[in-house]
C-alpha cells in the first residue's frame, strides 16, 4: 500500500509505503518546508507554481493498493504568507536644522524570524554593516570628522537598511540640514607633519598668526588664543585676538613648561553672528621666534 498526497491540483507524490496485515494501521510522517513562496520536500518543489497569498490551498492525502484500490481522500486547507522584509521601528523623519550630529536610535524585527543585516548610510556612503538582533536598539554614530565635512545649509540623508537572509529589505530615511554659528580650529599636535613644525627645543618668544579669511558684515573673529607650552597637561593659553586682527606679532608672557619640549598651538574661533553670507577660513600662516 502507498500513501499519496498532492498540493492543489499538482502532481500526486508518494508519501509512504508499506505492507498492511489487514488490521494494523500504517503510520507515516512527512515534513514539508515553505520557502520562496513554494512548498519543498528537501530540494523537490512539490507545490509547482508560487502559492498565492491569502487564499485557500488544498492538501489532499489518500492511499492506494497494488490492485488498483483507492481510499477516500482526506483534505486540509491552508494559507500562506509570502516572506516579508524586516520591520524597522518608527517612521521616516526630517530632523530640521542641526548644530550637532543627530541622535538616532533604531531597532527592527523580522516577521518570519529570519536573520537580518543592518546597513547604515550617510548621503549614500556606507557607515557600517552588521548582523542585527531582533528588538535590540542601535545608534547611528556620525564621527566628528564626517560631520564637519558636510556642506552647510543643504539637506543630508541618513538611511537605515535592514535586509533578511532571503534578500528582502526595508529602509528608514532621516534627513537634516547642518548649520554652524562658529568656525573653530586648533592645530593637531598628534600629526607628525604638525609636530615637525611646531614642537621646538627652545622657548618661542613671539608668534605671528595670519588668517586667510573672509569675514562678512555681522561676523567677527571672536577669539585667537596661542600658547608656547602646548604639550603640557594644562597649556597656558594667551589671548592674541587683538594682535591677529591688527596683523601684528604677539609676545608670549609665559616662560614655564612641564613637558619635555616647547610647542606652539593656535586656537581660533570665528563667530558668524548676524552675517547672511558664509564665513570662510581658507587657511593660516605666520612665523615665530
Amino acid at each position: 500500500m502507498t500513501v499519496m498526497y498532492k498540493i492543489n491540483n499538482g502532481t500526486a507524490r508518494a508519501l509512504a509505503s508499506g505492507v498492511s496485515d489487514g488490521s494494523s494501521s500504517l503510520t507515516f510522517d512527512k515534513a514539508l518546508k515553505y520557502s520562496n513562496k513554494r512548498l519543498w520536500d528537501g530540494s523537490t518543489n512539490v507545490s509547482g507554481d508560487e502559492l498565492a497569498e491569502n487564499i485557500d490551498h488544498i492538501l489532499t492525502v489518500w492511499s492506494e493498493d497494488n490492485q488498483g484500490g483507492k481510499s477516500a481522500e482526506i483534505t486540509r486547507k491552508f494559507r500562506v504568507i509570502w516572506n516579508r522584509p524586516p520591520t524597522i521601528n518608527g517612521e521616516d523623519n526630517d530632523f530640521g536644522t542641526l548644530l550637532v550630529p543627530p541622535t538616532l536610535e533604531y531597532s527592527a524585527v523580522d516577521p518570519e524570524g529570519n536573520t537580518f543585516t543592518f546597513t547604515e548610510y550617510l548621503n549614500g556612503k556606507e557607515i557600517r554593516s552588521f548582523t542585527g538582533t531582533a528588538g535590540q536598539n542601535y545608534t547611528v554614530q556620525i564621527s566628528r570628522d564626517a560631520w564637519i565635512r558636510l556642506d552647510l545649509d543643504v539637506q543630508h540623508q541618513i538611511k537605515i537598511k535592514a535586509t533578511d537572509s532571503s534578500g528582502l529589505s526595508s529602509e528608514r530615511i532621516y534627513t537634516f540640514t547642518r548649520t554652524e554659528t562658529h568656525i573653530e580650529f586648533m592645530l593637531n599636535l598628534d600629526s607628525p607633519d604638525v609636530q615637525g613644525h611646531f614642537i621646538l627645543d627652545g622657548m618661542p618668544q613671539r608668534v605671528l598668526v595670519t588668517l586667510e579669511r573672509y569675514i562678512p558684515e555681522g561676523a567677527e573673529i571672536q577669539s585667537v588664543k596661542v600658547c608656547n607650552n602646548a604639550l603640557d597637561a594644562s597649556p597656558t593659553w594667551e589671548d592674541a585676538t587683538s594682535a591677529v586682527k591688527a596683523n601684528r606679532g604677539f609676545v608670549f608672557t609665559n616662560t614655564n613648561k612641564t613637558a619635555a619640549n616647547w610647542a606652539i598651538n593656535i586656537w581660533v574661533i570665528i563667530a558668524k553672528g548676524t552675517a547672511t553670507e558664509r564665513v570662510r577660513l581658507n587657511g593660516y600662516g605666520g612665523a615665530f621666534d
Side-chain angles (χ1 to χ4, degrees), residues 50 75 105 116 126 169 183 225 286-287:
E50 293 181 354
T75 62
E105 287 191 351
F116 59 89
E126 183 178 313
S169 64
I183 293 177
K225 295 181 180 180

Side-chain angles (χ1 to χ4, degrees), residues 92 117 126 130 156 186 258 281 288:
D92 295 356
T117 299
E126 183 178 313
F130 59 95
H156 302 282
M186 183 185 297
T258 57
L281 181 61
F288 54 83

Side-chain angles (χ1 to χ4, degrees), residues 15-248:
L15 202 160
S17 61
V19 177
S20 173
D21 61 9
S23 59
S24 300
S25 299
L26 294 177
T27 61
F28 59 90
D29 182 35
K30 172 69 71 172
L32 301 178
K33 179 181 178 181
Y34 176 66
S35 176
N36 197 26
K37 307 175 185 177
R38 294 170 172 82
L39 284 173
W40 302 82
D41 179 4
S43 60
T44 302
N45 172 16
V46 299
S47 57
D49 296 333
E50 293 181 354
L51 296 174
E53 285 188 292
N54 299 318
I55 67 170
D56 288 337
H57 298 284
I58 307 298
L59 167 66
T60 305
V61 180
W62 70 96
S63 61
E64 299 176 357
D65 62 24
N66 59 357
Q67 301 299 313
K70 180 180 178 181
S71 71
E73 295 181 346
I74 302 298
T75 62
R76 294 290 184 271
K77 295 179 180 181
F78 65 93
R79 294 191 173 200
V80 299
I81 297 175
W82 291 352
N83 182 41
R84 294 163 291 179
T87 302
I88 304 174
N89 71 313
E91 298 177 349
D92 295 356
N93 192 19
D94 180 11
F95 291 109
T97 300
L98 302 176
L99 284 167
V100 296
T103 299
L104 175 56
E105 287 191 351
Y106 63 92
S107 64
V109 294
D110 188 86
E112 283 71 52
N114 294 329
T115 58
F116 59 89
T117 299
F118 281 124
T119 308
E120 302 170 350
Y121 300 89
L122 176 60
N123 291 334
K125 182 178 180 180
E126 183 178 313
I127 300 174
R128 62 172 176 162
S129 184
F130 59 95
T131 299
T133 298
Q136 181 171 325
N137 286 334
Y138 299 94
T139 303
V140 176
Q141 299 285 350
I142 300 178
S143 69
R144 176 63 179 170
D145 183 65
W147 176 255
I148 63 176
R149 293 176 185 275
L150 295 176
D151 286 341
L152 297 174
D153 305 322
V154 299
Q155 193 174 73
H156 302 282
Q157 182 192 90
I158 296 172
K159 180 171 73 175
I160 309 299
K161 184 176 182 180
T163 306
D164 72 10
S165 53
S166 297
L168 288 182
S169 64
S170 60
E171 298 178 351
R172 278 275 173 266
I173 301 294
Y174 309 90
T175 55
F176 63 90
T177 300
R178 176 178 170 246
T179 191
E180 290 288 352
T181 59
H182 295 76
I183 293 177
E184 182 174 357
F185 85 93
M186 183 185 297
L187 299 180
N188 178 15
L189 290 174
D190 291 330
S191 167
D193 292 336
V194 176
Q195 292 173 8
H197 293 289
F198 293 95
I199 295 180
L200 312 166
D201 294 331
M203 183 185 74
Q205 298 181 350
R206 295 182 299 172
V207 64
L208 173 67
V209 178
T210 58
L211 302 176
E212 298 177 19
R213 78 269 189 179
Y214 173 68
I215 310 293
E217 183 178 352
E220 66 171 342
I221 299 175
Q222 180 174 307
S223 173
V224 179
K225 295 181 180 180
V226 294
C227 65
N228 59 3
N229 60 348
L231 299 180
D232 286 11
S234 298
T236 304
W237 289 102
E238 303 185 51
D239 189 353
T241 308
S242 297
V244 171
K245 287 181 176 180
N247 295 317
R248 297 196 309 266

